[in-house]
Every structure is written in C-alpha cells, then in structure tokens.
Amino acid sequence: MAGRVPNIASDIADHDPPIRLLTEQGSSDGSGQVLLRSKLRAVSRRMGFSEAAREHMELACKEMVTNQVKYAGGAGLVQIWETTRPAPAVDLFAMDFGPGIPNLPAALEDGYTTSGTMGKGLGAIRRLAHESEFYTIPNGVAPEAPWHGTAIWARFHPQAPKAAAPFQAGQFLRAYQDGPYNGDCLDLDQAGSRLRWLHMDGLGHGAEAHDAVSGSCQASRLESDLQETLGDLSKRLRGGRGAVALAGEVDAAQVQARVCGVGDMNAYLICNGEKRNVTFSPGVLGHAHRSFDETEMAFPAHALLMTCSDGIRRTWTLGSFPSLWRLHPQLIALLLGQVLGRGNDDKSLLVIRSTPAKGGTHG
C-alpha cells in the first residue's frame, strides 16, 4: 500500500455520493506531492474557500507529507476527499506504516520533537483545520492489530455549519480498482433529532452494479416503517441485477436506533466497551428474499453504530484498534475502510455517533 498512486476516477460518476475520493498519493513521491497541491487548489476554488482557508489547507497537507517523510521514511499515503453530506467539506487523510508515536498527546504539543526540528507539525494541523483527529498504534502495541503506524484526519468547511448537529457521521466509499463506477451506495437524510440512511450494495461491481443502485439509493424515500420501505425498493429493482441493502434510523431524542436489512450487509453497535454484531437474512432485493430482519437497540450518547458492505472485512475486534472508538467517526471510517477494505470489491462504510447537546446529555 505504501507509495501507491492509483488513478482516481470516482469524480466522474453520474450520481452524487456523500463522499468521494479525489486523489491518493504516496508521500515519498515528489510528483505525487505536486499532484496533491494541484488537486487541493482545484477543489478548494470550486467549493468557494477563501484565499486564507486555501492557504491553511495547503499548509496542513504539507505538514502531513513532511511528517510521513521524517518519521515513517515516506512509507505512507495522503488522500483528499470531498464530502457533500451532511455538510460540504474537504477532508485530508494521511496514513503511514511507520513506527507510530509512543506519546501522542506530547507530540501534539508545540515544541515536541524526536528529530531535532521545531516539532510543530501535528500541532499546526490541529490549529489550521476546522476539525481534526490523530490516531496511532506504535510498534509493539496491540500485536493483533492489522496495522501499525499513524493516521491523521483534518477537515475544512467552506462555510461554518449552520447549527450543531445531534450526530457525527463518518463515511467511506471506494470503487473497485478506483474505477468510475461504484456498486456500493450510501445516502443520508437528517431532520431534527433523527437521522435516516440507506446503504446498498449492487451485486458484483462495475457499471452494472452501479446502475442497479444509483437511481434507488435515496434516503429521502425512507418511511418510518423500514420493512415497508425495503419492500417497495425490492419491487423497483425487479428485472435488474438486484442488490442487498440496509435501511437505518437513529433518533437522538428517543435514544434509539433501528436497522433493517437483507443479504450480505453488516451492522455493529459499539457501546460501553462492547461490540454487538447485527446480521440479516439471506436474499437479494429485486429477486428472492425472506422477510426483512429489523433490530431495535438503545443508542446512548457517544455510542457508535456502523454499517458495512461485504467489501469490508469482518475479522476485527475492538482490541484490533485500541482507543480508536472514542475518536471522530470520519477518522474511524477512513482508517477502517483503508485497512479492512477488500482489494477485489467495492467498499463502503458508515459510522454514526450520537452527541449530546452542549451542556447536556441524553441516555
């Protein structure tokens, strides 16, 4: 994975995904660094960022690259993602395969260094970005972990969010071989204290799988009866390739979550240090399937709810990524998608956390 520089074509797809990967470049590749700056300037101008904000984004990106070259020998990658929902943003994600950081809190303080430099890189990223998160698994820690190194996420908003949302969401969508067509699809619809979403996986991959889901993956169509919604969706998919799917709803006011699905989709509730797996009956929308399995569960503040396509490996535990689960869902989604994603399929992952209102709690 280190130094991989794929040709990203996802931004020519004919639907509007909530998040899309614009480019991925190896940090040790000089030409890749030029491409990173060029793509960052193009997307920041298109999205209406101010000149000062664009400068902050470029500085943060430079610090990510510099950190990987200094401490991981350039064994890493830097990605630029464009997010459209729940709110427009540009995400920078850096992930290396180096020794990790033994004392991450100290490394985030200005002046900390192990290489004789000023030591302001990670602290600068935190100051420059509107939102950021840092994660590391040093060598020798968590031997069962499938990855060791450091991951950094920084988000920049073109405009300030209108109001604090009752949820944090993290998303990962990546097509097989980074092609122009993704058979996995995600869509979210938030209203007040409630968030609903539809997560679909067209059978196979490529253009036909994409066509099976692209016109149907609309969370705005979701009704309160999730089973009825999936039944209607199955009728619309008749005569085509078909898909497996999951519909979900979380309600911060009621402190409840529901998921309903069919086929090879997976959901996980992470709460109070435990992981609960939710699976669904076999079947394919548009073809043969059993009745839809619906699960209702408590969803207190700071719990995590994840839904995944079968492009995400299931062979992980909470101990595989120690201390990850308290961090922002977007970092969680990007890291798990990168580490656990299968190389021979489309991949998608949604992570939701319910957050209490400032000064209060729920649950």
Side-chain angles (χ1 to χ4, degrees):
M1 293 166 63
R4 178 170 175 265
V5 186
N7 177 24
I8 303 301
S10 58
D11 52 348
I12 65 173
D14 61 1
H15 65 289
D16 180 26
I19 188 170
R20 57 180 177 170
L21 177 60
L22 300 182
T23 191
E24 174 187 291
Q25 303 295 334
S27 59
S28 61
D29 184 352
S31 62
Q33 295 177 31
V34 173
L35 289 172
L36 278 172
R37 290 194 297 271
S38 176
K39 178 62 74 172
L40 194 55
R41 288 170 183 171
V43 67
S44 61
R45 288 192 182 102
R46 174 168 55 81
M47 295 180 67
F49 281 88
S50 67
E51 183 176 349
R54 294 200 300 268
E55 182 178 349
H56 287 176
M57 295 164 69
E58 290 190 33
L59 287 172
C61 187
K62 181 180 179 181
E63 291 291 355
M64 288 179 173
V65 171
T66 300
N67 187 72
Q68 289 188 358
V69 171
K70 283 182 179 178
Y71 301 108
L77 54 87
V78 179
Q79 299 172 338
I80 301 174
W81 295 79
E82 180 181 355
T83 299
T84 58
R85 295 185 295 281
V90 169
D91 289 341
L92 301 178
F93 179 67
M95 174 181 169
D96 69 47
F97 311 94
I101 303 174
N103 189 339
L104 182 57
L108 292 170
E109 297 297 326
D110 286 347
Y112 177 87
T113 179
T114 60
S115 64
T117 63
M118 288 296 290
K120 294 185 178 180
L122 298 187
I125 294 171
R126 186 164 59 176
R127 290 192 306 274
L128 291 166
H130 294 121
E131 300 176 76
S132 62
E133 203 74 271
F134 305 83
Y135 181 66
T136 187
I137 304 181
N139 287 339
V141 175
E144 73 276 21
W147 162 82
H148 288 80
T150 300
I152 304 169
W153 166 73
R155 171 167 285 180
F156 297 84
H157 298 278
Q159 293 93 26
K162 295 181 180 179
F167 304 102
Q168 291 177 329
Q171 304 158 86
F172 179 90
L173 279 167
R174 192 162 185 177
Y176 171 61
Q177 294 185 339
D178 295 312
Y181 300 104
N182 194 341
D184 284 10
C185 188
L186 269 171
D187 196 41
L188 296 82
D189 182 41
Q190 182 176 329
S193 66
R194 187 188 65 197
L195 177 68
R196 287 178 176 165
W197 72 97
L198 191 58
H199 195 165
M200 301 180 66
D201 179 0
L203 299 191
H205 52 76
E208 292 184 0
H210 167 267
D211 291 344
V213 301
S214 62
S216 301
C217 191
Q218 298 179 18
S220 59
R221 293 179 175 177
L222 287 175
E223 302 294 339
S224 58
D225 190 324
L226 299 182
Q227 297 190 45
E228 183 177 338
T229 296
L230 290 183
D232 291 341
L233 184 59
S234 185
K235 293 177 183 177
R236 291 199 299 273
L237 293 176
R238 286 177 183 169
R241 172 172 288 203
V244 296
L246 177 152
E249 177 185 88
V250 290
D251 192 322
Q254 299 297 320
V255 201
Q256 291 289 322
R258 294 186 296 145
V259 290
C260 180
V262 63
D264 200 6
M265 301 287 291
N266 295 282
Y268 308 97
L269 176 70
I270 299 174
C271 185
N272 297 324
E274 297 182 350
K275 171 190 168 189
R276 176 183 175 184
N277 294 7
V278 181
T279 57
F280 307 97
S281 297
V284 177
L285 293 179
H287 297 274
H289 57 76
R290 301 178 186 175
S291 59
F292 305 112
D293 295 329
E294 182 169 340
T295 301
E296 185 170 328
M297 62 200 85
F299 190 55
H302 307 302
L304 286 176
L305 183 60
M306 299 170 48
T307 63
C308 313
S309 71
D310 66 348
I312 303 297
R313 294 182 180 89
R314 307 171 191 175
T315 54
W316 58 276
T317 66
L318 298 186
S320 301
F321 300 92
S323 303
L324 175 66
W325 316 108
R326 61 182 175 79
L327 302 182
H328 194 287
Q330 189 59 65
L331 175 87
I332 296 173
L334 293 176
L335 180 65
L336 294 186
Q338 194 68 34
V339 175
L340 301 178
R342 300 181 186 275
N344 60 350
D345 202 355
D346 299 323
K347 300 166 279 289
S348 57
L349 172 66
L350 174 68
V351 185
I352 300 170
R353 171 179 281 120
S354 175
T355 56
K358 188 174 182 180
T361 62
H362 42 251

